[in-house]
Amino acid sequence: MQRGELFIVSAPSGTGKTTLIHSLMASELADSGALHFSVSHTTRAPRGSEVDGRDYHFIDRERFQAMIDDDRFLEWAEYTGNFYGTSRSEVMPRLEQGIDVILEIDVQGAERILASCPEAHAVFVMPPSYEVLRDRLTNRGLDDAGARTRRLAVSLSEIKRYEQYDYVIINDDLRRASDVLAAIILEKRHRSARI
């Protein structure tokens, strides 16, 4: 059986990567069961309508630390005061079954994954502009002014590292951006080496 492909999707907070991935997972491309979205673990509290097990596995810092100690993460990082991590059990068994896996992770996590899995395909999602990103973070109303300022500073740092990625998608139109992400996945699935 051909091993599944690993796709990394990173973007600054507020760029719309979660919406983009959810759009892709609701499409025909994911209907066959050959594509899986890896649900990350985090120590932050759920926001809005987020659901445990669907959006994240929400756990406390003590349990997260125990998972680190047991080497249960492919990668983990601290971001704006909270821990985020990708568990091996979410990814490795599916890849071995020939299922493609999408990771939604920050730039730090992407660097760690690429160091251990250089065959992974890295996709960076860009906002149309800094102003649009600032407006999205403000309008979603999830953070206070101080947190938004920190997120914007981190975002600028992340955007400067886009050249480390294989692909860049500018998310100025959700449908078009979703089509581009689907095309990247389909291209990898239809390489002669995989058939």
Side-chain angles (χ1 to χ4, degrees):
M1 174 178 288
Q2 187 72 29
R3 182 180 166 90
E5 302 283 349
L6 182 59
F7 296 91
I8 297 168
V9 178
S10 300
S13 181
T15 302
K17 68 182 175 296
T18 302
T19 303
L20 177 62
I21 290 170
H22 286 182
S23 174
L24 177 72
M25 294 308 296
S27 73
E28 291 177 16
L29 186 63
D31 282 348
S32 67
L35 182 63
H36 173 75
F37 170 65
S38 174
V39 179
S40 297
H41 287 72
T42 185
T43 59
R44 78 159 170 76
R47 293 184 192 135
S49 62
E50 288 180 329
V51 175
D52 184 48
R54 182 192 72 193
D55 299 294
Y56 285 97
H57 296 291
F58 296 100
I59 61 175
D60 61 29
R61 291 175 90 80
E62 183 178 309
R63 184 164 169 217
F64 198 99
Q65 185 61 53
M67 290 179 73
I68 292 170
D69 295 343
D70 292 341
D71 195 31
R72 291 177 54 194
F73 289 116
L74 280 174
E75 62 79 31
W76 64 271
E78 185 174 6
Y79 181 80
T80 63
N82 292 297
F83 289 107
Y84 295 82
T86 303
S87 71
R88 294 180 191 282
S89 63
E90 276 281 327
V91 177
M92 303 314 286
R94 289 179 174 92
L95 292 178
E96 294 303 322
Q97 295 168 13
I99 298 169
D100 296 334
V101 177
I102 297 179
L103 305 179
E104 178 188 345
I105 55 178
D106 71 357
V107 172
Q108 281 180 300
E111 289 170 349
R112 290 184 178 138
I113 292 286
L114 290 169
S116 62
C117 303
E119 72 281 3
H121 313 290
V123 180
F124 192 83
V125 182
M126 286 267 204
S129 68
Y130 176 80
E131 291 76 20
V132 168
L133 180 61
R134 183 192 62 224
D135 291 347
R136 286 179 182 173
L137 287 174
T138 301
N139 293 337
R140 72 183 189 175
L142 297 176
D143 300 308
D144 62 29
R148 277 195 310 274
T149 300
R150 287 189 299 277
R151 285 189 184 277
L152 284 168
V154 169
S155 295
L156 288 176
S157 169
E158 290 175 336
I159 288 169
K160 291 176 182 175
R161 294 151 74 181
Y162 78 91
E163 291 178 336
Q164 298 172 2
Y165 289 74
D166 303 310
Y167 304 93
V168 175
I169 300 172
I170 298 175
N171 192 9
D172 55 355
D173 176 88
L174 177 60
R175 183 173 167 206
R176 187 192 63 76
S178 184
D179 288 347
V180 172
L181 182 56
I184 291 167
I185 292 169
L186 287 170
E187 186 272 329
K188 298 302 175 199
R189 284 185 179 175
H190 293 279
R191 286 175 297 146
S192 59
R194 185 165 172 176
I195 304 289

